[in-house]
Amino acid sequence: VAFVILLICLHVPMCKLAIRDTAGQERFHTITTSYYRGAMGIMLVYDITNAKSFENISKWLRNIDEHANEDVERMLLGNKCDMEDKRIVPKAKGEQIAREHGIRFFETSAKANINIEKAFLTLAEDILRKTPVKEPNSENVDISSGGGVTGWKSKCC
């Protein structure tokens, strides 16, 4: 299981993403279901050159329905779109399953860096849209010295 922390600046708030990559392997099944409980967003990734990886998406979607919070943001990614000559899973199939489950869909390439940033930013924005914004109270704002907001982490990049 790979684990990465990614900081993304979206408009004003800074968003910290804790990313866990389980590679969809069955041996990580019990760990993965425990990750669902606290997740605010889940990216399901299949390989467009591997039919079995796409077939597993339905199973993972059922697991999310069973173990994740009801309002978790989900996204489907068809990876390796740079390998069009080896494509087995048509783009239309990815679009169809995403439409059926009411989730976003992108085709990506981690190798060629196609739609990777867009996918992460979109998921983070969708999560933030659902998250109530905490307004600073009057004790945290210093309007006399132009000091801005104190007691908060840096606003953005």
Side-chain angles (χ1 to χ4, degrees):
V1 176
F3 181 77
V4 176
I5 299 285
L6 179 66
L7 295 175
I8 297 178
C9 294
L10 298 170
H11 313 292
V12 176
M14 184 175 295
C15 182
K16 179 181 174 182
L17 303 178
I19 302 164
R20 293 174 178 91
D21 178 2
T22 62
Q25 297 174 10
E26 195 59 40
R27 64 187 170 132
F28 295 123
H29 176 74
T30 55
I31 296 171
T32 303
T33 55
S34 69
Y35 288 159
Y36 291 157
R37 287 186 198 101
M40 297 173 79
I42 297 173
M43 286 181 168
L44 293 165
V45 183
Y46 68 91
D47 176 348
I48 70 162
T49 69
N50 181 323
K52 182 72 174 159
S53 72
F54 181 75
E55 292 164 12
N56 287 333
I57 292 298
S58 294
K59 177 188 75 171
W60 290 111
L61 284 165
R62 281 193 304 276
N63 283 334
I64 291 168
D65 288 343
E66 290 173 22
H67 300 286
N69 293 335
E70 190 176 296
D71 64 343
V72 68
E73 279 297 322
R74 300 168 298 158
M75 177 179 284
L76 180 63
L77 303 178
N79 195 36
K80 297 188 181 179
C81 70
D82 61 305
M83 300 178 69
E84 190 62 41
D85 58 324
K86 296 183 180 170
R87 177 187 289 273
I88 292 174
V89 181
K91 183 176 183 179
K93 281 194 165 194
E95 292 169 333
Q96 178 185 357
I97 198 166
R99 196 171 35 257
E100 288 170 0
H101 291 271
I103 61 178
R104 291 189 188 267
F105 172 75
F106 293 102
E107 282 204 334
T108 60
S109 169
K111 183 178 180 181
N113 194 22
I114 298 169
N115 282 336
I116 299 297
E117 184 175 331
K118 182 177 183 178
F120 278 98
L121 288 174
T122 300
L123 185 62
E125 287 171 343
D126 290 347
I127 291 168
L128 283 174
R129 215 178 333 276
K130 286 185 172 179
T131 306
V133 177
K134 294 181 181 175
E135 295 295 328
N137 62 32
S138 60
E139 296 169 7
N140 288 344
V141 179
D142 177 5
I143 57 172
S144 60
S145 64
V149 178
T150 60
W152 281 36
K153 291 184 180 179
S154 173
K155 284 272 191 179
C156 196
C157 306

